[in-house]
Each structure stands twice: as C-alpha cells, then as structure tokens.
Amino acid sequence: MAAGVLGIGKFVPERILTNFDLEKMMDTSDEWIRTRTGIEERRIADDQTDTSDMAYFASERAIKNAGLTPKDIDLILVATVTPDQPFPSVACMIQDRLGARGSAAMDISAACAGFMYGMVTAKQFIDSNAYKHVLVVGVEKLSKITNWDDRSTAVLFGDGAAAAVMGPVSEGNGILSFELGADGSGGKNLYQDKEIIKMNGREVFKFAVRQMGESAASVVEKAGLTKEDIDYLIPHQANIRIMEASRERLDIPEEKMIKTIQKYGNTSSSSIPLALADSVENGVIKDGDLIVMVGFGGGLTWGAVTLRWGGK
Ligand code: UT7
C-alpha cells in the first residue's frame, strides 16, 4: 500500500475583492496587479468567519467525499500561519466541532509550504501503519494580518481553506516522492511583525524562482519519472511569474499548469490544496493523473510532492 488522497474539499468565503475594488482603497491599478502577479480577485472572510470556521467547512466536505465519518479520522494536521489564536490549535478546534474526539491533532507552521509539510507528515504515519486516516488541512485568513496601507503586499493575499483525507491507496498511487526543506536565514525576508505581514518582495521572488524549479525537478527525478509523465503541475499560487518559472524549469506545456491565482490570489497554506480541490471538482484531474505540487514560503520553507491521483 501507499499513502494517497481519499477525499478532498474546499471552502472559500463569498465576498470577492477585485483589483478594481483595491484601486479605490489604495494607490494601485488593476493593470499593475494583473501584469505583475496574475491576480484579478481574491476572497475575503467576514468578521464572523475565522480560520477554524473555514477549516471546519472544508474538512466536513473532504471527509464526506472520502466516504468516511469524523470518527474514522486518527490524526488532524492543520497547516496555517493565521490560527484563531496561538492555542488551542485550529486542529483541536475543528476536532471538537467535527466530532472526531480522541484523534491526535496539531497545527503545522510552514507558511505557504505548509500543506506539503502536512501531506508528507501524514504519509509517515500511514506508511508506518500508526494511523490509517489523516485529515490534512491548509487554511488561512490572511486578511486579518494584511497591512491595508502597504500596497506592495495588500494586493497579493486572500482567504480560503482546503482539506484532504489521506489514507492507504493501492501501490503505484498516492505520494511517489517528496522533498521538504527550510532556510531559516531567509526568515527576515517574509514574516509577521506584531499584527502584520512584512515582506522583501524582490528577495522572496528570487528565492522562489530558484527553489520552486529545483524542488519540482528534484521530486520528479526521485520518483524515477520524466517530464512526459507529468499530467499537471500545481505550484504555490504566489505570483504567475514565479509559477511560470517552475513550469519552464520542468519544460512542460502551459495547459499542464493549474492556475487559480487569478480568482483566489495567494492564500498561503491553502493555495496548493485549493487549486487541487478546484481541479478535482471541475473534473480536470482524474484517476491515474500524475501531479507535481511545489510550494515555498515564509521561514523560508519549501516542499514538493509527486502524487498519482486515485487508487482508493
Ligand atoms: O507566498 C509567498 C509570498 N510572497 C511572494 O510570493 C512575493 C514574491 N514577490 C513578488 O511576487 C513580487 O516581488 C511583487 C509582486 C511583490 C512585486 O513585484 P516586482 O515586480 O518585484 O515589483 P517591485 O517591488 O520591484 O516594484 C516595482 C514598482 C515600485 O515602484 P518604483 O519604485 O519602480 O517607482 C513599487 O513601488 O511597483 C510599485 N508597486 C506598486 N504599484 C502599483 C509596488 N506595489 C504596487 C502596487 N500597485 N500594488
């Protein structure tokens, strides 16, 4: 057996904030945002909806789509840098609300690479037969730590959640290879200071272009695959120019790269699973498809996974 995805679900807030809305809030333009980042709009959660609410809604859907009940979940891992509060963890909050009492539960802080860290951690427990079903959630309410007076960061981020139930799948499916890494010396380029996000955009950009390409290529090689085997690339949806660089490094055609940045912006931990959930729901990703996922983020962190979809 291998460790794969049994069911996936997503939740995005209803409120849409467009680039044109931002034009009215700060000195920016739809043209600048679209050409520099690829973003057209993003979702913003209301005051009544916190990170754990979005995590809960996405998780409920993922568990249902896996054909399971919350009682079947052995471990809950929530990747987030915007928890409701430092503790209890979002994982514990949704464990109670889902009715998954007794399962282990913890949050993972690896910023935009968080879901990759979550999936790879889940894989270890599943491969070792310690746990059968692991709920992995990527969720952020970045709007609550966004500095709306800083146009260089405020236009980038959005809110959202996506969850995957991971468990045993037949050999040849699920996670085929992975890479995780971090370089704490780059922490100064992207961090939260008091209440808000601070970023050295140019430095993060340079790091991201290099690391996303390297990690994506490395997991493809580790799995013994070639570029022809890749059906879809899901890069962290941070900036279309960074995403394009990783696609070019893998030397795969444009239609093989999944792109949701235009409608959700950068949702950090949630960005990769949100794109995955969207593509599965839309019937784009089908059983047997080979997917390369790659993310980078504050820490600095990075992570990549090759996953063959299906095999339940
Ligand atoms: O999940 C990881 C999170 N972080 C990232 O993914 C960030 C990675 N970095 C980036 O995506 C890019 O560096 C940015 C999108 C943040 C910025 O793009 P850039 O091409 O590196 O622009 P820049 O910082 O070099 O700024 C170019 C110009 C500047 O004006 P001057 O100095 O040339 O007159 C900025 O002041 O664009 C200006 N600018 C804006 N103009 C209109 C910066 N933000 C904006 C804005 N609207 N929102």
Side-chain angles (χ1 to χ4, degrees), residues 28 32 36 112 151-152 155 199 201-202 236 238-239 241 266:
T28 189
W32 191 96
R36 297 283 178 133
C112 311
R151 66 176 182 172
S152 68
V155 302
M199 183 172 75
R202 288 235 179 120
H236 167 44
N239 182 319
R241 293 180 289 151
N266 179 351

Side-chain angles (χ1 to χ4, degrees), residues 45-114:
D46 61 28
D47 291 345
Q48 282 72 50
T49 309
D50 210 337
T51 302
S52 64
D53 299 299
M54 294 191 282
Y56 168 73
F57 296 134
S59 298
E60 237 193 344
R61 289 169 192 171
I63 294 169
K64 189 162 169 263
N65 287 338
L68 298 171
T69 71
K71 300 226 177 314
D72 298 317
I73 303 297
D74 303 304
L75 168 66
I76 301 176
L77 299 171
V78 176
T80 188
V81 291
T82 51
D84 298 35
Q85 67 267 309
F87 68 94
S89 63
V90 174
C92 284
M93 294 174 79
I94 63 167
Q95 187 235 42
D96 179 48
R97 200 157 156 195
L98 288 166
R101 193 161 175 214
S103 68
M106 64 176 171
D107 287 358
I108 294 177
S109 175
C112 311

Side-chain angles (χ1 to χ4, degrees), residues 17-20 30 34 38-42 261-263:
L17 185 71
T18 66
N19 292 348
F20 298 103
D30 170 63
R34 254 186 311 106
I39 301 167
E40 292 167 24
E41 57 187 46
R42 68 287 290 143
I261 188 168
Q262 69 284 3
K263 55 181 181 175

Side-chain angles (χ1 to χ4, degrees), residues 22 26-33 35-39 111-113 142 150-157 189-190 197 199-208 236-242 261 266-269 271 296-298 300:
L22 286 170
M26 60 191 74
D27 181 18
T28 189
S29 67
D30 170 63
E31 209 267 330
W32 191 96
I33 303 171
T35 53
R36 297 283 178 133
T37 73
I39 301 167
C112 311
L142 290 165
D150 175 10
R151 66 176 182 172
S152 68
T153 53
V155 302
L156 304 175
F157 302 110
N189 292 324
L190 178 54
I197 300 169
M199 183 172 75
N200 181 340
R202 288 235 179 120
E203 283 306 311
V204 177
F205 191 95
K206 280 192 277 181
F207 157 76
H236 167 44
Q237 312 279 309
N239 182 319
I240 191 68
R241 293 180 289 151
I242 299 172
I261 188 168
N266 179 351
T267 58
S268 189
S269 304
S271 122
F296 72 95
L300 298 169

